[in-house]
Amino acid sequence: MYDISGALYLDEMGYAMSRLDVESSECEGGNAIHESSSIGQSKRAFKSLDNEIAQITKLKSTPHQLLIHDGSGRKELPVSPVKMLAGREFNCSGRGRFSSADRCHLLSRYLPVNGPWLIDQMPSRAYVSQFSADGCLFVAGFQGNIIKIYNVDKGWKVQKNILTKSLRWTITDTSLSPDQRSLVYASMSPIVHIVNVGSSETESLANVTEIHDGLDFSSNDDGGYSFGIFSVKFSTDGRELVAGTSGDSLIVYDLEANKASLRILAHAADVNTVCFADETGHLIYSGSDDSFCKVWDRRCLNANGKPAGVLMGHLEGITFIDTRGDGRYFISNGKDQTIKLWDLRKISSNVTCNRGQRSFEWDYRWMDYPPQAKNLNHPCDQSVATYRGHSVLRTLVRCFFSPAFSTGQKYIYTGSHNACVYVYDLVTGAQVATLKHHKSPVRDCSWHPFQTMLVSSSWDGDVVKWESSGSSDVAASSVKKRAYKRHFFQDYL
């Protein structure tokens, strides 16, 4: 039986979790800055969301009622780890183990802010870095025609080294199939290439050691290489791909039929980001340089070819969208230097309000955001909440919800042009952590789906990992230790 003293065993194994000290701006090595949600970020934070998602988020990270109350009957939050472990041993919940809410309450207090430890260093810019759905693999894509797939469970050993085919400018996006057998990668071309991840070949050279099949997203009247693809994602069943293009269009590609099954002139400017809303595949989100988020319902597209709704609020173009996976909420990163949280129940049938004319000239590719624009608000902002502090310049910076398993999606995190990674509290809007290491813009970052680990990649070529505590050298020294950790997180928490 695992008792409270077992926490010491975890510490010896290199897996103990260090509590986020929100009152201190100092940390190991001076690389991570912890900021208080009530003091350090009072000017940026907003009052708790008066919205259903705030209640859902709180419920997902609120432990059993018997643990919340102290000896006098008053509520005491957060509950200490010792009390949580004792409650589990005394079977307070009646389950004999932590509930998902118990687990999230405990783990969400331990952010991956220590480190970083270098995973890889390349001579070219890193544009894409993402964990697989089970956290076993990690994909990093670089401007220099290279995609690396690391086996996380085998000490970050390179499982596949892919030399890309027909790359134009850079790798703009990658996506792993749900079964993790295939990887697609896109660039500024209408051709998306697909590679076999599961083959025995470590080196994958296009048309030499392995064939990189080309999926043509263009139509007969596109005129060849007339557009590039900024975003590509697999559907949950692995049968389709959705892509956003520089031709202002959204395209769904049927992998079984080997052809585009849906093509929509979706926006009035580049479609920088697309994704399926949930596992059903019926709803698709898109974001564009026209500043609008749109929702597409494929069940009624044949009837009118119009979006199910439009969401207004960003003053500039949208660089990325991440879905919460419930078919209702999603977040978007914008060139107006904000992340916005959206509720689909607030959508409009069409654009009903203009964002107004700029009083300044600005191009995010080489100019700083004008100071006079930082406090502007959209006159018809439909978003639920707005998060500020990071910077979105030079490249399509990405943002994400934190993992459901370990945090209950309690946080939002994003890369930034100023070479940092920012973590925000979803409900309060407070900036709870800033990770500093890189020397160039951080376009992408990824939080491990089960472990308290975050990996960031940058234009400086560094791919580094941040953890909750301890030296990653200890944790990476043994496959057995990693297997134990996964067993502990999944079976005991």
Side-chain angles (χ1 to χ4, degrees):
M1 178 180 292
Y2 176 85
D3 58 20
I4 297 175
S5 63
L8 298 176
Y9 177 65
L10 289 177
D11 186 45
E12 293 173 353
M13 296 288 286
Y15 301 141
M17 298 170 287
S18 65
R19 180 176 180 180
L20 173 66
D21 181 6
V22 297
E23 300 299 334
S24 173
S25 61
E26 299 179 356
C27 70
E28 182 182 352
N31 293 320
I33 299 176
H34 308 163
E35 296 174 296
S36 171
S37 60
S38 61
I39 301 174
Q41 290 298 317
S42 59
K43 292 183 179 179
R44 292 176 186 165
F46 42 78
K47 293 182 179 180
S48 295
L49 290 177
D50 183 19
N51 191 278
E52 182 180 323
I53 192 172
Q55 301 305 316
I56 294 173
T57 303
K58 289 177 180 177
L59 288 174
K60 280 190 171 184
S61 59
T62 301
H64 194 276
Q65 290 296 315
L66 291 177
L67 298 174
I68 293 176
H69 297 88
D70 61 17
S72 62
R74 295 175 299 180
K75 287 188 176 181
E76 184 183 30
L77 287 172
V79 180
S80 72
V82 171
K83 189 173 181 180
M84 293 289 296
L85 290 169
R88 188 185 67 183
E89 294 307 307
F90 286 111
N91 196 19
C92 289
S93 66
R95 295 186 179 93
R97 56 185 295 178
F98 282 154
S99 67
S100 60
D102 292 337
R103 179 181 65 237
C104 289
H105 180 78
L106 180 61
L107 295 182
S108 64
R109 299 169 62 190
Y110 303 93
L111 300 186
V113 295
N114 289 326
W117 292 277
L118 186 68
I119 293 173
D120 208 344
Q121 191 171 48
M122 296 290 288
S124 63
R125 295 173 173 178
Y127 270 75
V128 179
S129 58
Q130 287 293 297
F131 281 106
S132 61
D134 63 2
C136 293
L137 301 178
F138 183 83
V139 179
F142 301 87
Q143 190 174 20
N145 289 50
I146 295 291
I147 298 173
K148 288 191 172 185
I149 301 177
Y150 305 87
N151 191 314
V152 179
D153 290 340
K154 294 183 178 180
W156 292 87
K157 180 181 178 181
V158 176
Q159 177 170 307
K160 199 85 168 178
N161 201 3
I162 301 169
L163 182 62
T164 61
K165 178 184 177 182
S166 306
L167 190 69
R168 298 190 72 191
W169 175 242
T170 186
I171 295 163
T172 53
D173 204 4
T174 64
S175 184
L176 271 170
S177 62
D179 60 10
Q180 297 182 185
R181 294 181 179 179
S182 302
L183 175 84
V184 294
Y185 62 89
S187 68
M188 294 306 294
S189 155
I191 307 297
V192 170
H193 293 280
I194 186 165
V195 189
N196 184 0
V197 173
S199 69
S200 59
E201 292 283 349
T202 301
E203 299 291 330
S204 179
L205 308 179
N207 289 336
V208 179
T209 60
E210 291 182 328
I211 295 176
H212 295 199
D213 292 332
L215 310 175
D216 191 352
F217 278 63
S218 64
S219 63
N220 295 330
D221 57 355
D222 280 334
Y225 284 65
S226 56
F227 64 83
I229 294 176
F230 289 114
S231 178
V232 62
K233 295 290 183 293
F234 268 102
S235 61
T236 304
D237 60 14
R239 296 179 179 178
E240 295 179 309
L241 296 170
V242 61
T245 81
S246 63
D248 310 345
S249 60
L250 180 155
I251 301 171
V252 176
Y253 194 95
D254 188 324
L255 290 170
E256 293 182 344
N258 197 27
K259 65 178 182 180
S261 59
L262 178 64
R263 190 185 310 273
I264 307 169
L265 188 60
H267 290 268
D270 293 350
V271 180
N272 296 324
T273 176
V274 291
C275 66
F276 290 99
D278 55 27
E279 61 184 14
T280 67
H282 296 317
L283 296 180
I284 297 173
Y285 302 143
S286 65
S288 165
D289 272 339
D290 64 11
S291 79
F292 299 120
C293 295
K294 292 187 178 181
V295 183
W296 307 87
D297 190 337
R298 301 170 65 193
R299 292 166 293 188
C300 58
L301 271 176
N302 292 334
N304 54 33
K306 295 181 179 180
V310 181
L311 288 161
M312 298 167 285
H314 279 294
L315 294 169
E316 302 289 344
I318 295 160
T319 64
F320 196 75
I321 284 175
D322 185 43
T323 178
R324 194 167 177 269
D326 55 8
R328 179 172 293 177
Y329 294 101
F330 67 93
I331 55 174
S332 60
N333 224 351
K335 296 176 184 179
D336 57 4
Q337 318 302 297
T338 69
I339 294 174
K340 287 188 176 289
L341 172 66
W342 307 93
D343 184 341
L344 259 62
R345 291 169 294 186
K346 294 180 177 290
I347 60 174
S348 302
S349 57
N350 51 48
V351 180
T352 58
C353 180
N354 194 295
R355 56 179 166 167
Q357 296 297 317
R358 279 187 190 163
S359 59
F360 52 87
E361 290 295 326
W362 177 68
D363 191 315
Y364 101 119
R365 291 173 294 180
W366 56 75
M367 299 171 67
D368 290 336
Y369 197 58
Q372 66 269 30
K374 290 183 178 180
N375 295 319
L376 295 179
N377 295 304
H378 196 290
C380 301
D381 191 352
Q382 296 170 292
S383 65
V384 174
T386 302
Y387 308 81
R388 305 177 189 270
H390 62 294
S391 58
V392 184
L393 299 168
R394 312 295 185 268
T395 186
L396 303 177
V397 177
R398 301 179 167 200
C399 64
F400 303 93
F401 287 100
S402 62
F405 177 86
S406 58
T407 71
Q409 298 176 306
K410 184 178 180 178
Y411 303 107
I412 290 171
Y413 64 103
T414 178
S416 179
H417 167 259
N418 67 352
C420 298
V421 176
Y422 289 82
V423 182
Y424 299 98
D425 187 288
L426 174 72
V427 176
T428 68
Q431 192 181 111
V432 296
T434 306
L435 311 183
K436 290 187 176 182
H437 161 76
H438 296 286
K439 307 302 182 185
S440 298
V442 177
R443 184 179 188 266
D444 204 0
C445 47
S446 186
W447 198 317
H448 194 284
F450 303 113
Q451 301 175 18
T452 50
M453 175 197 301
L454 186 148
V455 176
S456 59
S457 62
S458 167
W459 278 12
D460 61 14
D462 283 3
V463 179
V464 301
K465 63 177 176 178
W466 307 79
E467 296 182 326
S468 60
S469 69
S471 169
S472 66
D473 294 336
V474 176
S477 63
S478 168
V479 175
K480 182 178 179 180
K481 291 179 182 180
R482 289 183 178 276
Y484 173 81
K485 184 175 182 181
R486 176 172 290 113
H487 176 68
F488 173 78
F489 272 73
Q490 293 180 344
D491 293 341
Y492 287 93
L493 287 179

